[in-house]
Every structure is written in C-alpha cells, then in structure tokens.
Amino acid sequence: MDSLNRHEDYGQEALDETHLGADPIEQFKAWLIEAEAADIYEPNAFVLGTVDELNQSRSRTVLLKGVDNRGFFFATNYLSRKGEAVAANPSVSAAFGWYSMYRQVLIQGVAEKVAPAESDDYFGSRPHESQVAAWSSHQSQPINNRAALDDQFSEALTKFDGQDVPRPEYWGGYLIIPTRIEFWKGRSNRMHDRIEFVRELDVTGAPTEWKVQRLQP
Ligand SMILES: Cc1cc2nc3c(=O)[nH]c(=O)nc-3n(C[C@H](O)[C@H](O)[C@H](O)COP(=O)(O)O)c2cc1C
C-alpha cells in the first residue's frame, strides 16, 4: 500500500476567479468537456451523498446523464436506498473527482424527480438489456444468491423478447438543483485553490443570483 505514504505535488497551475465564467453550471460543462478530452475514465461519474429519514448519510457512485441550466440529471431506481433517502430528505451532494487533473467539483442542492415524460425519454434511449435490467432488479433489496438474480433477468428477457420495454414506474430520473458549486484545483504544498458559487432557493424554488467566494484550502 505504497500510496498511503505518497505525497504528490498537485502542480502549479492556478485557478483564479478570472478563469471561471459567471455561471457555474456552464463552468461545470467546460470542466467536464476538458475531463473527457483528458481521457478520464467515466468522467461523468460522481459520488452522490444522501441523508435518510434516520439522519444517516450514505454515498454511492452514479452517472451524470444530463446537465442544463436547471441542474444535474441522473437516473436510478426510486425505491432504492438513495430513492428512499431523497423521498425523506431531498438535500443531496455530488462529488466529481478528476484526480489526474488535480480537479474536483463539489455540488450541494436538492434532488427532485423529473417529469415522467423526461424519464420516459431517457429510459427509451437506453440499450434493450439495460431496460430489461430495470425490471429485473429490485435495487438495494437483498436476494438469496446470484443464480436467483440471473433467473430474474432471464425471465424478464423472455417476457420482453422482441418488444419495446416500458419504463417501470419505480425507475426514473432526478434533477439536482444546485445551491452550492465548488471548483477545486490542487496546488503545490497543499495550498489549493477553491472557488465556490452559492445561491439560495426561495419558497417557490426560484433561485437568487450566484455569489462567488474563495475558500481556504
Ligand atoms: C461507475 C459507477 C456508475 C454507477 N452508475 C449508477 C447510476 O447511474 N444509477 C444507479 O442507480 N446506480 C449506479 N451505480 C451503482 C450505485 O453506486 C449503487 O450501487 C446503486 O445505485 C445502489 O445504491 P443505493 O443502495 O445507495 O441506492 C454505479 C456504480 C458505479 C461504480
């Protein structure tokens, strides 16, 4: 476990307030495109943090499947642990780590289910087997063994053979509406750059203007 004793130098390249656009969602898109160009494996993967009804936090990786001026879109099973947690408490976090670029983006916000038609559109774009898998897995529920899971998949494959697969009601998209987006850039001597955009959502969900602040590393 050599990595435990390494002290990497995260480089000299600075992240200055003037390097970032006024809109952090647009800025995020620019960094995602740069992560793709740098051949980061699964650059759209992020760690989603939730808090459940017992105030217990849990993190897991999911894939970003859309980003627009409303926020960040991912898809999952609404009855999974993350789905249950979001139903109890919509506050979520998202952490993108593009470590070989010395970059991290941290997002906080609220997750809300997208409209069924939007989930239908995304579900319809998935490969047939992935659509069948949504019917074959009660995500986050225990199962006796792998064979039982394989049986569930085989049965669903047979059922939907040669047919369009409808979206299960319990499967769909969430939009994370951000209230905080931090751009982190590693620097030498642990004197990293951190620039954070913050806004609030009023009672109607309408956002205030983004404010920008630099955070100590
Ligand atoms: C790279 C990667 C991408 C993943 N993408 C998704 C995803 O987009 N949606 C999803 O539901 N689970 C995804 N998973 C699986 C989740 O990490 C997790 O195991 C699953 O969603 C169940 O989480 P939960 O029990 O906390 O709800 C992904 C895992 C990895 C490692």
Side-chain angles (χ1 to χ4, degrees), residues 23-162:
D23 179 346
I25 297 180
E26 290 302 316
Q27 182 60 47
F28 172 87
K29 289 188 201 167
W31 272 26
L32 179 58
I33 290 166
E34 287 175 29
E36 290 167 357
D39 269 341
I40 303 275
Y41 183 65
E42 301 284 58
N44 57 327
F46 65 96
V47 176
L48 172 75
T50 53
V51 181
D52 70 14
E53 77 280 11
L54 300 174
N55 277 336
Q56 290 179 329
S57 110
R58 179 176 163 85
S59 306
R60 80 291 279 155
T61 308
V62 294
L63 294 178
L64 183 74
K65 285 291 165 186
V67 51
D68 60 30
N69 62 359
R70 297 170 305 162
F72 302 86
F73 174 91
F74 68 94
T76 191
N77 185 311
Y78 288 145
L79 303 178
S80 63
R81 289 185 186 171
K82 73 183 89 49
E84 300 283 1
V86 168
N89 183 345
S91 297
V92 297
S93 62
F96 290 83
W98 299 309
Y99 308 127
S100 56
M101 302 176 78
Y102 314 130
R103 282 181 177 181
Q104 168 177 254
V105 176
L106 300 181
I107 297 166
Q108 279 172 256
V110 289
E112 54 184 47
K113 286 182 184 173
V114 299
E118 196 170 343
S119 288
D120 287 342
D121 281 351
Y122 174 63
F123 189 78
S125 75
R126 288 168 67 83
H128 180 80
E129 286 74 14
S130 303
Q131 295 175 334
V132 171
W135 285 98
S136 325
S137 166
H138 304 290
Q139 193 178 52
S140 313
Q141 297 299 317
I143 191 162
N144 284 345
N145 50 46
R146 176 74 209 195
L149 185 64
D150 290 341
D151 284 349
Q152 286 181 187
F153 187 56
S154 300
E155 277 167 27
L157 274 177
T158 307
K159 179 175 169 196
F160 293 113
D161 186 30

